[in-house]
Amino acid sequence: MLVLESKFTPEQLTQRWDEKTSPARFAGNDALMDNIFIASRKEDRVFLIRRASGALDPFATVFRGRIVPCGGGSAIKGHFTKRLFDYVLLLVLAFLDGFVYYRAMEEGSVSPSVTGFCIAFVVLLLLIAVPLRKPRRRYREFLEEIASHDR
């Protein structure tokens, strides 16, 4: 879990979030924000997702968090994940892979190549399910800019 503390009150931090993620601020002018497809807030909940060039990036890393009171100020608390649809799709693909393997076992045609393919496919699905480091670093830098008094 990511926790970024700020000296701002929750109301001030919410206002900074709205200012920093406003389309009027970054549309074509900010290299970091041009890489973010969605930056939204609903009450104290915040959401960031990376924009791919030309289309929505399937399995993109997502930041989901909240702006909460913390000590003498506030904090942005959240975690990096994927969208719910991405996890459902990965689960369906894993079940499909298991079904293929099960059918091969029933028919007695389980060869090392079928086993290797099924295992490799599951490993690939697990790798896709893990949020990537590069977007996490970019999101963290952007979130630190919002939470910081210096910038």
Side-chain angles (χ1 to χ4, degrees), residues 2 35-39 46-52 56-64 78-84 86-87 90 126-140 143:
L2 176 67
N35 289 325
I36 295 177
F37 179 73
I38 297 172
V46 293
F47 179 85
L48 293 175
I49 185 170
R50 185 174 66 88
R51 179 186 78 135
L56 184 62
D57 184 11
F59 308 112
T61 299
V62 171
F63 176 80
R64 294 179 194 280
H79 58 278
F80 298 99
T81 184
K82 302 286 183 172
R83 292 169 294 191
L84 179 59
D86 296 338
Y87 286 124
L90 291 173
L126 290 173
L127 290 174
I128 290 172
V130 176
L132 300 174
R133 279 190 181 163
K134 190 173 181 179
R136 288 189 324 212
R137 187 176 62 243
R138 285 183 181 154
Y139 293 171
R140 184 182 179 98
L143 294 169

Side-chain angles (χ1 to χ4, degrees), residues 50-117:
R50 185 174 66 88
R51 179 186 78 135
S53 47
L56 184 62
D57 184 11
F59 308 112
T61 299
V62 171
F63 176 80
R64 294 179 194 280
R66 289 180 165 239
I67 296 174
V68 295
C70 179
S74 59
I76 298 174
K77 292 185 179 184
H79 58 278
F80 298 99
T81 184
K82 302 286 183 172
R83 292 169 294 191
L84 179 59
F85 176 79
D86 296 338
Y87 286 124
V88 170
L89 181 60
L90 291 173
L91 189 60
V92 168
L93 291 173
F95 277 121
L96 208 79
D97 183 58
F99 179 74
V100 166
Y101 189 74
Y102 175 75
R103 291 295 294 163
M105 282 179 47
E106 271 188 346
E107 294 176 7
S109 62
V110 177
S111 66
S113 63
V114 170
T115 303
F117 172 79

Side-chain angles (χ1 to χ4, degrees), residues 2-70:
L2 176 67
V3 179
L4 296 173
E5 294 186 10
S6 174
K7 294 178 184 175
F8 291 115
T9 66
E11 293 79 20
Q12 290 172 322
L13 192 55
T14 299
Q15 183 179 8
R16 275 185 65 88
W17 177 275
D18 292 342
E19 289 170 3
K20 294 284 187 178
T21 61
S22 168
R25 174 185 178 266
F26 65 82
N29 297 322
D30 188 316
L32 174 66
M33 283 305 294
D34 283 345
N35 289 325
I36 295 177
F37 179 73
I38 297 172
S40 64
R41 181 187 63 80
K42 184 174 183 181
E43 297 177 11
D44 65 340
R45 294 175 191 246
V46 293
F47 179 85
L48 293 175
I49 185 170
R50 185 174 66 88
R51 179 186 78 135
S53 47
L56 184 62
D57 184 11
F59 308 112
T61 299
V62 171
F63 176 80
R64 294 179 194 280
R66 289 180 165 239
I67 296 174
V68 295
C70 179

